[in-house]
Amino acid sequence: MLFLQDQAAEAYSTFRLKTSLQQVIEVQDVNELNTININSAPIILGEGSNTIFLTEQSRPILRFTSSQRTILNETLDTVNLHVEAGHNWHQLVSWAVNSELWGIENLALIPGSVGAAPIQNIGAYGVEFADVCDYVDFYSWTDQAVHRFSADECQFGYRDSLFKQSLTSKGLVIAVGITLQKKPKRVLNYAGLDTLSDSASLQEIYAQVIATRQSKLPDYTKLANCGSFFKNPIISLGAYRLLQQQFPKIPGYIVADNVKVPAAWLIDQLGFKGYRLQDIGCYERQPLVLVNFGNGTADALLALVNMIIGKVKDRYAILLEPEVRMLNKDGMAYVQS
């Protein structure tokens, strides 16, 4: 276990706002979690690709860094894996592709750790973490024990799960179980992949996902960002049809009995692509991505976030919800007032 004091927050968030973290605790073994003596539950952090520290953090930051990958079972058709939370997600995808295992190739190049994947049920190009999940192992602060939740018990939804709802701040994900396929299981009915052949190889799909993401999204190591900033809103079919009457070109995708509307389209229509407020702005190729040009401030970020939310609400009567976790001085997620 490693205790670090007074750390620059830029090293722990890919958005890199300039502030500080009073204490960072890095843990490599579950048994070490039992020895942590804290007055309040710490802020759980993976690789910081979906977290922005708005101000100095007084609560401890906890990172579980154990990253082993274990094959539990293998059949003629499938491979069952147990992967610890500290494993890098994209590295897991790359390993699967190199091993000719299908199921997560559409999730290539998503930044962050494996432990973060079930929390917000990461997804891209028609595939979600929930599609391959067998279970999630969760360490509870209450009884200092590990509990295994089946995929059904995780209550996965669009960028949502049990761990973002009733179990938030109650513990941390320490490992996941997933099943990958040895036989092709192509998901190509999504813009960016729909130009591929129905017989596209695993490597071709993987390469196309990476190329498509790189063409739209900035490299966070070069231009600070946390990827897509807002969730794609889901509205009723009736509300969508009313919007179609006023905005005939508004795109939408049926989800159960509702319609998912691309947040990027809504924001782009309002002229935010390339818009800049001080040193915070909307990426020139993808307005859904907010970027920090180097000296961005929390005030500028919140002003831009509220501006986008307000204008989308005024024009389309749709309330955008941030996907990125923004933490104030008490470690509480920012909520628009």
Side-chain angles (χ1 to χ4, degrees):
M1 185 163 17
L2 186 63
F3 289 88
L4 304 171
Q5 304 292 331
D6 298 322
Q7 297 294 296
E10 296 97 301
Y12 296 91
S13 167
T14 59
F15 204 80
R16 298 198 289 276
L17 288 186
K18 292 179 173 61
T19 184
S20 62
L21 312 176
Q22 289 187 13
Q23 184 181 59
V24 177
I25 307 170
E26 296 191 349
V27 177
Q28 292 186 328
D29 186 274
V30 174
N31 294 323
E32 293 178 333
L33 293 171
N34 298 332
T35 68
I36 297 177
N37 183 18
I38 51 177
N39 295 322
S40 59
I43 298 166
I44 308 303
L45 186 70
E47 296 184 5
S49 59
N50 195 57
T51 297
I52 297 175
F53 299 106
L54 298 174
T55 62
E56 178 182 353
Q57 297 296 310
S58 56
R59 284 174 60 189
I61 310 297
L62 177 65
R63 299 183 66 237
F64 185 75
T65 59
S66 191
S67 59
Q68 288 189 343
R69 180 186 66 241
T70 307
I71 294 178
L72 297 178
N73 186 50
E74 185 171 356
T75 70
L76 290 175
D77 298 322
T78 63
V79 171
N80 302 110
L81 297 175
H82 179 87
V83 190
E84 293 184 310
H87 198 300
N88 176 270
W89 175 260
H90 178 66
Q91 289 179 7
L92 177 64
V93 176
S94 299
W95 173 85
V97 171
N98 290 334
S99 302
E100 294 289 338
L101 296 174
W102 295 75
I104 54 176
E105 59 279 357
N106 289 35
L107 305 181
L109 215 62
I110 293 180
S113 64
V114 166
I119 295 173
Q120 62 171 5
N121 188 22
I122 60 172
Y125 303 103
V127 174
E128 293 181 329
F129 174 79
D131 298 329
V132 299
C133 179
D134 294 324
Y135 61 81
V136 174
D137 286 346
F138 184 83
Y139 179 89
S140 170
W141 295 122
T142 303
D143 59 5
Q144 295 186 309
V146 176
H147 301 266
R148 176 162 292 183
F149 293 89
S150 69
D152 287 341
E153 290 173 326
C154 290
Q155 300 175 22
F156 289 123
Y158 173 63
R159 301 299 179 270
D160 198 13
S161 72
L162 176 71
F163 313 104
K164 282 185 71 174
Q165 300 300 328
S166 61
L167 289 183
T168 186
S169 300
K170 300 292 180 61
L172 64 150
V173 172
I174 60 168
V176 303
I178 64 174
T179 295
L180 301 179
Q181 308 294 322
K182 292 184 177 180
K183 295 181 179 179
K185 190 179 180 181
R186 301 176 182 89
V187 179
L188 304 175
N189 56 338
Y190 200 98
L193 303 186
D194 51 4
T195 58
L196 291 173
S197 164
D198 289 340
S199 59
S201 70
L202 184 56
Q203 290 75 19
E204 287 173 335
I205 297 171
Y206 172 77
Q208 182 71 7
V209 169
I210 290 175
T212 303
R213 289 183 68 89
Q214 288 179 333
S215 70
K216 296 180 179 180
L217 306 175
D219 181 347
Y220 67 82
T221 65
K222 298 177 181 177
L223 182 59
N225 73 90
C226 281
S228 298
F229 205 91
F230 298 96
K231 297 179 183 179
N232 291 319
I234 297 177
I235 63 177
S236 69
L237 183 58
Y240 179 70
R241 286 174 174 166
L242 287 175
L243 283 171
Q244 277 186 311
Q245 295 176 13
Q246 189 174 0
F247 309 101
K249 294 183 178 181
I250 186 170
Y253 305 92
I254 299 295
V255 178
D257 296 325
N258 298 308
V259 179
K260 182 189 295 183
V261 179
W265 187 89
L266 300 173
I267 297 169
D268 193 16
Q269 295 302 300
L270 293 167
F272 278 106
K273 184 182 289 184
Y275 180 85
R276 183 164 174 168
L277 182 62
Q278 299 174 35
D279 237 18
I280 301 290
C282 291
Y283 187 51
E284 60 187 4
R285 297 182 191 175
Q286 171 54 279
L288 186 58
V289 177
L290 303 191
V291 298
N292 174 9
F293 290 101
N295 292 302
T297 65
D299 286 345
L301 172 63
L302 294 179
L304 181 55
V305 168
N306 285 331
M307 185 187 303
I308 292 171
I309 291 174
K311 288 186 177 296
V312 169
K313 183 180 179 182
D314 289 345
R315 174 72 65 87
Y316 301 104
I318 291 176
L319 183 62
L320 290 183
E321 181 182 349
E323 182 174 334
V324 176
R325 179 175 63 161
M326 295 180 283
L327 302 179
N328 63 20
K329 64 182 178 65
D330 300 314
M332 302 297 290
Y334 163 77
V335 179
Q336 183 193 23
S337 59

